[in-house]
Amino acid sequence: MSKILIVEDEPKLAELVGAYLDQAGYENHHIDRGDQAVDYVKNNHVDLILLDLMLPGLDGIEICKQVRQFSGIPIIMVTAKAEEIDRLIGLEMGADDYVCKPFSPREIVARVKANLRRVELDQTESPRTDGFDLDVDRLRATYKGELIDLTTVEFQLLQLLIKEPGRVFGRDLIMKSIYADSRVVSDRTIDSHIKKLRKKISAVAPELNVIHSVYGAGYRFENND
């Protein structure tokens, strides 16, 4: 049974979400203060975090940044601030998904299922291409032994591209492949994921250029070096 951590300072909302997760077959634990969340994740098994943006003690953005220093588990940000969405999904702090308040508890359950399903995809495969090694079980990517610190979405994106070197993946196909719930995601969001992925690969291999833009078509993985 997958375990969901709910970090939310509104007790009635947390109780409602927890009840729907229970009904869907997920174990869940509720924390109402941000400054307790990181230690809990460090010391307990958690498969996914539902993380409110505004919290007492420590806000959701800082929690996400700290968790990303040691874990790539899916994080779904919950926010009432529509203007924050681009920054959240733009991965400035490593979030995998977001939900806006007010929301339907059924929507939360659907997002949880979709994000956990991404993690479970192709669990038996560990692709190796041109020095890259993808450990699907641990969502861990390395290049010639050097760890590439990726979020879940970034890992899934690299995995998608690397499986078929030279193939051009359009943005629509990328959206459908890494967002299993088929929700609408803008081209800018995909471009932001690509930018972050390139930056992180460059951090371990500055001369490497493997993710190429194809004007008007999309992106492909190809090592021309």
Side-chain angles (χ1 to χ4, degrees), residues 13-26:
L13 180 59
E15 183 178 356
L16 179 62
V17 171
Y20 273 79
L21 290 172
D22 282 337
Q23 190 176 32
Y26 297 110

Side-chain angles (χ1 to χ4, degrees), residues 176-193:
K176 291 176 183 177
S177 298
I178 68 174
Y179 289 100
D181 56 353
S182 300
R183 63 188 174 89
V184 176
V185 180
S186 70
D187 287 354
R188 186 171 65 172
T189 297
I190 299 301
D191 293 342
S192 179
H193 286 308

Side-chain angles (χ1 to χ4, degrees), residues 120-170:
E120 293 168 359
L121 287 176
D122 303 315
Q123 288 288 311
T124 60
E125 298 183 22
S126 295
R128 289 179 174 83
T129 304
D130 294 321
F132 287 88
D133 185 356
L134 304 189
D135 184 338
V136 180
D137 291 334
R138 295 190 294 169
L139 294 179
R140 187 174 184 270
T142 60
Y143 177 73
K144 294 184 177 180
E146 291 291 325
L147 179 65
I148 308 170
D149 186 21
L150 302 180
T151 65
T152 303
V153 171
E154 291 164 355
F155 182 92
Q156 296 290 351
L157 179 54
L158 179 59
Q159 183 186 24
L160 175 69
L161 296 175
I162 211 170
K163 277 185 175 180
E164 296 187 63
R167 176 179 175 178
V168 177
F169 288 85

Side-chain angles (χ1 to χ4, degrees), residues 193-211:
H193 286 308
I194 290 288
K195 181 179 179 181
K196 282 283 188 178
L197 180 56
R198 283 171 168 162
K199 183 177 180 181
K200 290 183 177 182
I201 292 173
S202 179
V204 301
E207 304 304 319
L208 197 63
N209 179 27
V210 292
I211 299 178

